[in-house]
Structures are given as structure tokens and as C-alpha cells.
Amino acid sequence: MTDRYAVIGNPIAHSKSPQIHAEFAKQAGEDISYAAILAPLNEFEKTVREFIAGGGKGMNVTLPFKQQAYAMCNELTERAQLAGAVNTLTFSGGKILGDTTDGKGLIRDIIGNLGFDIEGKSILVIGAGGAARGTLAPLLRCNPSRLVIANRTHAKAAELARLITPQDKKQKHIEAKTFEQLASEKFDLLINATSASLTNALPEMPKNIQLNQTFTYDMMYAKLPTLFMKFAKQHGAARVSDGLGMLVEQAAESFFVWRGVRPETKSVLIKMRAAL
Ligand code: ATR
């Protein structure tokens, strides 16, 4: 019997996850179906439970439900606990298991697909919402020389830096800095984890930030480069990338969590890029 999976969100119509998972399933010879389910804003839990009752095996969770998903799990992986959010649900033995694959997806894209080695590099993450939170612990685990977080509302960045503490002695503490403190500074890697690109805006950033040797990464993606990517290019960034690879890699990690098979992602990423 075909195992049923789905992505749940609101809105959901433009989700690329069904296409990505269909590619993975074809490639791996796995007999699964993968749908997109729109949950009313106040009926997330009810919609998930209906899917489980109908025999569903697992779900990806997207905006705005990642924290609600976290709250309804019976068990959480360590990385989901650190992220405070869940994007992958597995239904097994009457229990709901919560995991998050976003951080792993980002790291695999930056290191694996884009060939940028994070170890020993200085990193600045802008933004302190859910997207930023999920990336901090995985980035720290790659042993950067510095991991700095800055946000328009500084208190949120300070709170995240306090929440995510090093897991072993080799790892540095996360530094929360104000935009003023970072004026004219330089980093090897700059990650835009704000939601600014969603509204086609350029995020507020430290003044006069030096980008000429910086790899800049926007966690968002669109057919055309985002304003953040354009800004980085205009300021001489060494390399610029959007987050489409992260999307494909987090999906691959979810597929692995569910099916125990790690799909090949390069060809899927090329297809998704062409279809943008
Ligand atoms: P989530 O649901 O992912 O947690 P959120 O709490 O809305 O989303 O967080 C989005 C992040 O993008 C926040 O860090 C937000 O900054 P504030 O905390 O100051 O609101 C950031 N953000 C959104 N638009 C921005 C902009 N134009 N410039 C800078 N930061 C922006």
C-alpha cells in the first residue's frame, strides 16, 4: 500500500515540496504519495489528526505552523528542541515524533552544494525569528571562528544567543551584536535569515558592512535575485546564493528521516531551478 505524506501550511498552494518529494520517490523507488494540505489558521492540530486518522505516515510543516507542530509532539529530537520548532512529523505507534531538518538543509547546501567550508570562518546571521533560530546550533557545530547574530530588534537576537549554548568546548559562544556595533565590519559568511525578502524588501543591516570578500546567502529564493542578493552583488560580494538549495536539502533530510534513504539532490535542484 502506498504510504501517505503531505506538507501542511497556510498558504500552501505554491509549495514546491510535493514536486521535490515526487522526484525523490521516483529516484529511490519508494512507493509514497505526497500532497499539499491547506490548514485553516485555527485548525492546524485538527487537520493533522485527520491526516493521521486517514493513515498518514508523516508531514512536513511550513509557515505559520512550525511552533504549533512543536507543541503537539509526543517526542522531539534534540535538534528540534534546540530550534524550538518542527518541520518534520512522523506518525508511528500512536505517537507524533517531531524533528527539524531546516538547519541540516542549510549546512548541506552551503558546504555540499556551494562548496563553502564553514569551519574557521566568521559568520553573521541577520534576523532572529524562527528561521534564524533553527540555523544557530547547526552552524555552531561546524566550528566557525565567530558566530554573530544581529537583528533589527536587538533583544530578540540577545535572547537567541542566550538560548543556544555551545554543546562542547571546541565551540564558541554566539555573540549578539547591535547593528551599530557591527558598522563597517567584515564577515566571511553573511546569512539573511530575516523575512524581508518575502515582502520584497531589503533587510535593515549594519551600516557600511564590508562585503567584498563575503559569501552572502539569502535563505529565501525567487525566480529573480532578491533585493538582498542584488545589494550584496552591488557591494562586491565574493559570492551570492539564494536558499533554493536549502529547500531541496531540508526535503532530502525529511525523506531520509521517514524512509531511511538519502536521495540524490543535485539533479532535483537543477530541475527546481529550471522550473522557478
Ligand atoms: P518567524 O515567524 O519566522 O519567527 P518573525 O518573528 O516575523 O518570523 O521574524 C522575522 C525576522 O525577520 C525578525 O528577526 C524580523 O526582525 P524584528 O525582530 O525586528 O521584527 C526580521 N525582519 C523582517 N523584516 C525585516 C526588515 N525589513 N529588516 C530587518 N529585519 C527584518
Side-chain angles (χ1 to χ4, degrees):
M1 223 174 81
T2 303
D3 287 340
R4 293 179 58 209
Y5 296 87
V7 60
I8 180 167
N10 186 330
I12 201 66
H14 294 104
S15 171
K16 300 190 183 314
S17 294
Q19 201 184 333
I20 295 173
H21 280 276
E23 292 287 343
F24 290 163
K26 193 163 68 179
Q27 180 202 108
E30 294 280 310
D31 185 15
I32 70 160
S33 68
Y34 189 107
I37 295 179
L38 177 75
L41 287 174
N42 59 351
E43 288 188 355
F44 169 73
E45 189 162 339
K46 180 171 171 250
T47 312
V48 172
R49 296 207 185 276
E50 280 168 7
F51 187 72
I52 298 171
K57 297 276 189 206
M59 275 179 145
N60 281 131
V61 182
T62 189
L63 297 177
F65 297 127
K66 289 183 185 187
Q67 264 137 336
Q68 282 184 59
Y70 179 89
M72 77 179 288
C73 289
N74 304 106
E75 282 173 27
L76 293 162
T77 59
E78 192 197 339
R79 60 188 181 182
Q81 284 172 39
L82 281 170
V86 149
N87 80 337
T88 305
L89 298 171
T90 304
F91 311 127
S92 171
K95 285 191 173 167
I96 303 177
L97 317 173
D99 198 354
T100 180
T101 63
D102 288 329
K104 183 81 172 259
L106 174 74
I107 302 293
R108 287 184 86 95
D109 190 36
I110 292 179
I111 299 179
N113 297 336
L114 299 163
F116 182 90
D117 188 7
I118 295 173
E119 187 168 359
K121 302 293 196 327
S122 57
I123 308 175
L124 172 61
V125 174
I126 299 180
R133 179 168 172 171
T135 65
L136 293 177
L139 284 170
L140 208 53
R141 232 174 276 126
C142 295
N143 292 315
S145 62
R146 255 185 117 183
L147 178 53
V148 180
I149 176 166
N151 188 47
R152 189 172 60 179
T153 311
H154 176 69
K156 281 208 236 165
E159 173 63 8
L160 282 196
R162 197 188 58 77
L163 261 175
I164 316 274
T165 52
Q167 302 290 292
D168 71 47
K169 282 199 194 112
K170 249 174 89 187
Q171 297 175 356
K172 302 272 176 9
H173 276 275
I174 299 173
E175 306 166 49
K177 299 276 187 193
T178 63
F179 286 166
E180 290 73 30
Q181 287 171 324
L182 295 173
S184 305
E185 280 232 30
K186 205 159 135 178
F187 288 87
D188 297 316
L189 174 62
L190 169 65
I191 298 173
N192 178 18
T194 74
S195 52
S197 298
L198 276 179
T199 52
N200 205 19
L202 182 66
E204 284 174 40
M205 275 185 275
K207 267 211 185 80
N208 198 26
I209 187 154
Q210 300 298 301
L211 294 175
N212 55 345
Q213 276 157 37
T214 304
F215 188 131
T216 52
Y217 189 97
D218 196 340
M219 286 172 64
M220 304 289 165
Y221 61 86
K223 188 173 174 63
L224 296 172
T226 62
L227 279 186
F228 173 79
M229 292 165 72
K230 284 188 194 153
F231 174 89
K233 259 212 174 110
Q234 280 159 8
H235 288 77
R239 281 179 77 187
V240 176
S241 176
D242 70 4
L244 187 65
M246 177 182 175
L247 176 79
V248 173
E249 294 297 339
Q250 64 77 31
E253 182 71 10
S254 293
F255 193 89
F256 176 68
V257 166
W258 291 327
R259 311 300 297 181
V261 180
R262 197 173 282 289
E264 179 277 315
T265 50
K266 287 224 160 70
S267 64
V268 179
L269 179 52
I270 290 168
K271 271 192 189 166
M272 299 309 297
R273 175 77 62 201
L276 272 184

